[in-house]
Amino acid sequence: MNAPAIGPSLIPGVYYDNLQSGVDWLISTLGFQTKASYNGPSGEPEFAELAWGNGMIFVSRTPRTGPWAKVGKTCICLVANSHAVEAHYRQAVDAGARILRPLRRSTSPAFPDGVMGFDLEDPEGNLWTVSEYQPAR
């Protein structure tokens, strides 16, 4: 039996020194859902797959050695409709998130009519943008 062909996909990764704390923050602050979680030999969490809408991220413990140890902080954009963006903003504020730019409608050459969005920082310095901007495909 042939496996179905898998088209191109993009799944960003985020590293946390305290993986469980990072996963808990993503769930409580931005509404991610755990799809899978894997513990290392010591029983400590090492890797998780989290879903947000129809997207996914890989979340791992920050590596201490090897090429992946060079990866720094990241910025990830989450896309939803305006009502969901507003709901996620309230959830983030209620969770006590560090909001960098509050909920606003902003414009740029890419979106001259403006899009609703906000920006926040997680406890380990990764940046997150939640926006209604839908790039052309």
Side-chain angles (χ1 to χ4, degrees), residues 54-126:
N54 63 358
M56 176 173 273
I57 61 170
F58 292 151
V59 184
S60 301
R61 179 177 304 284
T62 305
R64 304 289 180 223
T65 61
W68 293 107
K70 296 178 182 180
V71 174
K73 302 303 176 201
T74 190
C75 177
I76 296 177
C77 183
L78 307 173
V79 178
N81 68 41
S82 62
H83 297 294
V85 170
E86 291 172 11
H88 285 294
Y89 180 73
R90 286 190 302 275
Q91 180 179 7
V93 168
D94 290 348
R98 181 167 183 251
I99 304 295
L100 301 176
R101 286 194 297 179
L103 186 65
R104 81 248 178 245
R105 181 162 292 284
S106 58
T107 61
S108 86
F111 38 88
D113 294 331
V115 296
M116 186 68 65
F118 68 97
D119 305 312
L120 66 162
E121 182 179 32
D122 71 25
E124 293 197 19
N126 297 294

Side-chain angles (χ1 to χ4, degrees), residues 18-71:
N18 184 331
L19 178 63
Q20 190 60 59
S21 177
V23 167
D24 291 345
W25 185 90
L26 290 167
I27 291 168
S28 66
T29 305
L30 291 172
F32 277 86
Q33 296 179 333
T34 303
K35 292 300 178 185
S37 181
Y38 304 94
N39 293 337
S42 68
E44 293 289 315
E46 292 290 331
F47 176 78
E49 298 171 3
L50 302 181
W52 196 86
N54 63 358
M56 176 173 273
I57 61 170
F58 292 151
V59 184
S60 301
R61 179 177 304 284
T62 305
R64 304 289 180 223
T65 61
W68 293 107
K70 296 178 182 180
V71 174

